[in-house]
Amino acid sequence: MALQDLKLIFSDNDISAFSNDFVGDGKYSNAVVSFSAWNSKGNGTPFGPGFFKSRGIPAIFVVQHRNHWWHTEAVFSLAHKVKALAAENGLGLVCYGSSMGGYGSIHLSRIFGARKAVAIAPQIFISESEIPEEKRWEIERKKVELIFGERENLSLARCDTYIFYDNRHAQDKLHVDRLVSGVRNPRFQLVEVPFASHDVARALVAVSEFKHFVEGLACGTNYDLAPLEGACRNAYQFDDKAFLNRVRSVPVREIQRDEIDRLLKVVSKEYVAKLDFEALYFAAEGLMNLGFYSDALACSSMSLEKYPLSSVPRYLELKHERVFKAFTQYGSAKSA
């Protein structure tokens, strides 16, 4: 769904907001307020417009003009505008977002008077005083001027908030652990999506129970979390990237023959071009562990080529060096 298909409802130097065509059509009892994710250039793009359009769910998309983690006075003016629009159409609000958008969903749910909130792989804290171990946005976060205290704000949250995260991803798990240990609020419900890495939103797209869950929130109906939790634990069965992460992470003895067949299919000429740089190094390490050294080297080389920035990070170079070393030591012992 292109940006021109959305209606601009708010504009400021720091943020803009757009609505889809379904606000006020009477089918749902809640509209979704979707916050965009972090962007390397700071110009956010609407998060999930195609998903909400396909289901006719009323939605408002909030995008940033710089990566401020929503610490801008403009959010209060926007919240006033959005709440008025929702009230005019007899709608409540559900906050929704991934990564930095997940931060917005968690922290702004009270400001927007949301009935529910969904945060996917969220950065829950940005201030150095709360999470000094976080190194992913060191330069940017020094420019963020907090308009609220994060810990206090989380303790005041008044709606059920569902946090979907990869419990094996060290950095995202750090945020969740800090929340659990430092904030006493029973309204936060954690749903684990193992092997999804920080790309949890991608994995959830393949989980039909998650789609039903979001539709249920828009309808204002209660949803049994048990089937959803089970489906999310097995998201790797439906999403190739999560599957590749699993293959490289678990002991080789736990990998079944049908999983090896799936791995070789995913990295075949027909499918491999669809993988991003991260999925490619997942594949490379899994192939290396299984003895497919030539194919591992090919995937690792493609990972370097697909890295989106001009300078390849050292961790990725080290991974490639390890795969190359295995290839030179053992040769193409197996081949896909």
Side-chain angles (χ1 to χ4, degrees), residues 244-262:
L244 293 172
N245 193 19
R246 179 184 182 278
V247 169
R248 68 136 185 176
S249 302
V250 303
V252 170
R253 65 178 180 276
E254 294 183 14
I255 300 174
Q256 305 300 312
R257 178 67 241 184
D258 62 331
E259 292 181 307
I260 296 176
D261 292 340
R262 179 183 174 187

Side-chain angles (χ1 to χ4, degrees), residues 91-129:
L91 295 167
L93 295 172
V94 172
C95 285
Y96 183 86
S98 175
S99 192
M100 190 180 83
Y103 182 100
S105 179
I106 288 177
H107 282 284
L108 301 183
S109 62
R110 185 168 60 93
I111 294 172
F112 279 78
R115 294 173 175 174
K116 304 284 184 180
V118 175
I120 303 169
Q123 293 110 48
I124 301 173
F125 302 94
I126 188 63
S127 63
E128 189 171 9
S129 61

Side-chain angles (χ1 to χ4, degrees), residues 20 22-25 28 30-33 52 56-60 91 218:
N20 60 20
F22 302 102
V23 172
D25 74 352
Y28 292 95
N30 292 316
V32 174
V33 182
F52 296 115
I57 296 175
I60 294 164
L91 295 167

Side-chain angles (χ1 to χ4, degrees), residues 22 33 51 58 60 76 78 82 89 122 128 162-163 175 180 208 214 235 265 269 283 293 303 311 314 327:
F22 302 102
V33 182
F51 172 78
I60 294 164
F76 296 103
L78 172 63
V82 169
N89 291 280
E128 189 171 9
Y162 304 91
I163 298 174
H175 282 259
V180 172
S208 59
V214 175
K265 180 180 179 180
K269 290 182 180 179
Y293 302 110
S303 176
S311 179
R314 184 55 181 157
F327 172 78

Side-chain angles (χ1 to χ4, degrees), residues 266-269 271-281 283-284 294-308 312 316 320:
V266 170
V267 301
S268 67
K269 290 182 180 179
Y271 296 99
V272 72
K274 300 176 183 178
L275 302 178
D276 64 18
F277 87 93
E278 191 174 38
L280 282 164
Y281 83 66
S294 178
D295 302 293
L297 183 60
C299 285
S300 184
S301 298
M302 287 183 65
S303 176
L304 297 180
E305 293 170 5
K306 280 197 170 186
Y307 187 74
V312 175
L316 201 58
H320 181 72

